[in-house]
Amino acid sequence: MAKSTHPTKPCADGFCFLAGLFFGLFCFWSLTLYHYKPHFGFIPLSAKASGYGAEAPILHSDPPHETFYDDPELSYFIEKPVNNWDQKRRVWLDLHPSFAAGSRDRVLLVTGSQPSVCKNPIGDHLLLRFFKNKVDYCRLHGHDIFYNDAYLHPKMDSYWAKLPIIRAAMLAHPEAEWIWWMDSDAVFTDMEFKVPLGRYKDHNLVVHGWPNMVYEDKNKSWTGLNAGVLLIRNCQWSMDLIDVWASMGPLSPDFERWGQILTSVFKDKLFPVSDDQSSLIYLLFTNKEKWGDNTYLEGEYNLEGYWLALVGKYDILTESYIKMERNEGVLRRRHAEKVNEWYDTEREKYLKRRERRPFVTHFTGCQPCSGEHNPQYSADLCWNEMKRALNYADNQVLKNYGFVHPELSSSDVSAVRS
């Protein structure tokens, strides 16, 4: 018999056996850890952190090429029209490719309040909490936010103040496709809901409204839509709409005449003053081809919901959501706030069988800053329901931090029970 050219040492076979056994145990241990939940301190090699490594807009560079910002004729004042805005914005985005990526879904939320101190003793506190609510929503969904507390035109105050602000925001933020205006007294009460922007790909303006109350003569009403919350595309069409819309406001020498016209058209309009909401409806139905056909009247969810119709549902909806989370383990699992949208998407699968939270609760008529509320309801009703709405929304944020307001009427918190 020929001798082996590589003689085996006495312990070699045993070593191989032990090595194989150790390797098998290691694989089993690794798989066990991988499937064990939660993964305390263990990150599988195949797991990829959502969003990590994604290209972000470059904030520290501005190419030297000329853009519309270099035009000495550029004016942020609402009196001077902006022409060729689509082309100007396109050139800017081409020069800033890191902003061009994803620009079709980029949203800037714009809101604000008056520059003076509130007359209502608790008005400034309420406005602060309303603002916090909007900041929370924007943080959760990756939106930028601009809060303005100055009148950008001395004549455009009250409900007309938003037009100069929206127009200036378009010029200041060419990277944003949508400007989302929200009145100061509007509250996000479903912090998880995402506006379905894809639904509005063929429209430039989105408001909550009812077509029959806007376009049908027999049903026409000045409340056919609500202009307190709106999405408007950053484009030339919107610039033109704002110009025409503002021409019916306090800047116009025909301001008083417009008030008389609108009062004669809308039989349910009780005050003879031209307001932003009646003016918008008037534009939509008098030139439907240009303005109405490019406006989406949203009615499938509460883009803007009247508070008296919604506040009574909060407690029932809270119990419904708690029950849903108890029954579905993935929804009950604790998680980091940064991955909240993944859980929001999972929750949508189960909400198809349930009533969902109202997206926005608008306290129209309550006037939290001036305190001059609609006399049909009391001041206490307004302030108490505002507090409940804000705590209801805050619960959806605080739960990721381990706390909750057990009573919506109180700002006291307690730890979330597992």
Side-chain angles (χ1 to χ4, degrees):
M1 178 185 292
K3 292 183 178 180
S4 170
T5 56
H6 300 285
T8 304
K9 295 182 179 181
C11 64
D13 291 337
F15 177 82
C16 291
F17 172 78
L18 290 173
L21 179 61
F22 177 80
F23 181 76
L25 289 172
F26 176 79
C27 291
F28 176 78
W29 174 77
S30 299
L31 288 172
T32 303
L33 270 181
Y34 181 85
H35 289 290
Y36 179 77
K37 298 181 180 180
H39 303 301
F40 295 120
F42 181 79
I43 303 176
L45 294 177
S46 61
K48 296 182 179 179
S50 176
Y52 279 66
E55 184 179 355
I58 299 174
L59 305 178
H60 56 267
S61 175
D62 191 19
H65 305 80
E66 285 194 0
T67 68
F68 66 90
Y69 287 117
D70 300 294
D71 182 357
E73 299 298 317
L74 174 68
S75 175
Y76 291 84
F77 284 108
I78 196 169
E79 298 98 326
K80 189 170 183 180
V82 174
N83 298 315
N84 301 318
W85 176 236
D86 292 339
Q87 173 64 18
K88 292 172 180 176
R89 182 171 172 247
R90 181 71 262 163
V91 169
W92 190 93
L93 286 170
D94 287 343
L95 292 172
H96 299 79
S98 69
F99 286 98
S103 63
R104 299 295 295 180
D105 294 325
R106 190 169 291 124
V107 174
L108 171 69
L109 191 142
V110 180
T111 185
S113 59
Q114 79 301 315
S116 58
V117 175
C118 290
K119 294 179 182 178
N120 183 4
I122 62 171
D124 291 309
H125 172 71
L126 288 171
L127 289 183
L128 175 63
R129 291 204 64 192
F130 278 117
F131 179 47
K132 176 197 178 297
N133 169 261
K134 296 175 178 66
V135 170
D136 282 338
Y137 183 85
C138 288
R139 184 184 70 256
L140 291 171
H141 296 281
H143 301 324
D144 286 334
I145 184 169
F146 171 57
Y147 191 97
N148 180 67
D149 62 352
Y151 293 132
L152 300 190
H153 194 287
K155 290 185 177 180
M156 301 287 276
D157 58 5
S158 187
Y159 34 71
W160 287 103
K162 63 172 165 277
L163 296 189
I165 301 171
I166 292 172
R167 185 184 181 278
M170 288 181 177
L171 291 170
H173 287 271
E175 82 287 355
E177 181 72 8
W178 292 96
I179 306 298
W180 187 352
W181 171 264
M182 281 193 72
D183 280 356
S184 59
D185 58 355
V187 186
F188 287 109
T189 42
D190 188 345
M191 303 299 284
E192 298 171 348
F193 185 79
K194 289 177 68 69
V195 170
L197 293 177
R199 183 185 300 180
Y200 314 129
K201 60 184 178 63
D202 298 323
H203 297 84
N204 297 324
L205 176 66
V206 184
V207 290
H208 195 98
W210 300 265
N212 65 315
M213 297 173 67
V214 172
Y215 299 112
E216 294 180 9
D217 289 335
K218 63 178 181 178
N219 294 316
K220 200 174 273 52
S221 169
W222 82 283
T223 60
L225 58 79
N226 190 290
V229 180
L230 59 86
L231 283 153
I232 187 166
R233 193 182 297 276
N234 195 355
C235 66
Q236 184 64 49
W237 181 95
S238 300
M239 290 285 190
D240 295 341
L241 173 64
I242 290 175
D243 289 340
V244 177
W245 194 359
S247 71
M248 301 174 71
L251 289 178
S252 172
D254 298 321
F255 182 51
E256 290 187 8
R257 187 174 67 86
W258 274 118
Q260 297 169 0
I261 292 172
L262 295 174
T263 305
S264 66
V265 170
F266 301 103
K267 304 305 180 183
D268 60 342
K269 182 174 167 64
L270 302 178
F271 53 101
V273 178
S274 177
D275 65 286
D276 64 320
Q277 188 165 290
S278 299
S279 300
L280 178 58
I281 298 173
Y282 183 87
L283 291 174
L284 296 186
F285 74 76
T286 55
N287 195 341
K288 189 174 185 297
E289 184 177 357
K290 184 171 185 178
W291 308 123
D293 290 348
N294 286 284
T295 298
Y296 194 105
L297 297 179
E298 182 60 78
E300 292 188 26
Y301 65 91
N302 292 109
L303 180 62
E304 181 281 336
Y306 182 45
W307 65 279
L308 273 178
L310 301 176
V311 293
K313 299 181 178 182
Y314 293 159
D315 291 324
I316 297 173
L317 288 170
T318 296
E319 290 301 317
S320 175
Y321 274 65
I322 289 175
K323 182 178 180 181
M324 174 175 59
E325 291 177 357
R326 284 174 180 165
N327 293 336
E328 307 299 337
V330 68
L331 302 181
R332 189 170 63 250
R333 185 186 178 198
R334 293 176 180 175
H335 58 271
E337 188 179 68
K338 281 293 185 181
V339 296
N340 218 54
E341 282 202 353
W342 186 87
Y343 288 88
D344 299 346
T345 302
E346 287 296 303
R347 186 176 282 102
E348 287 295 324
K349 301 174 183 177
Y350 305 100
L351 284 174
K352 294 176 182 178
R353 305 191 299 269
R354 292 178 170 85
E355 181 180 5
R356 69 172 310 128
R357 302 164 177 143
F359 180 40
V360 173
T361 302
H362 190 189
F363 285 87
T364 179
C366 273
Q367 302 295 328
C369 191
S370 69
E372 298 170 358
H373 56 86
N374 189 319
Q376 79 177 78
Y377 27 78
S378 69
D380 285 344
L381 179 63
C382 278
W383 319 147
N384 291 338
E385 292 302 339
M386 284 180 180
K387 180 186 291 186
R388 292 183 71 252
L390 289 163
N391 286 339
Y392 179 65
D394 203 33
N395 276 348
Q396 299 164 44
V397 177
L398 281 181
K399 68 178 183 180
N400 284 326
Y401 295 80
F403 295 90
V404 68
H405 302 287
E407 297 292 335
L408 296 183
S409 58
S410 171
S411 293
D412 293 343
V413 298
S414 63
V416 176
R417 290 178 296 179
S418 299

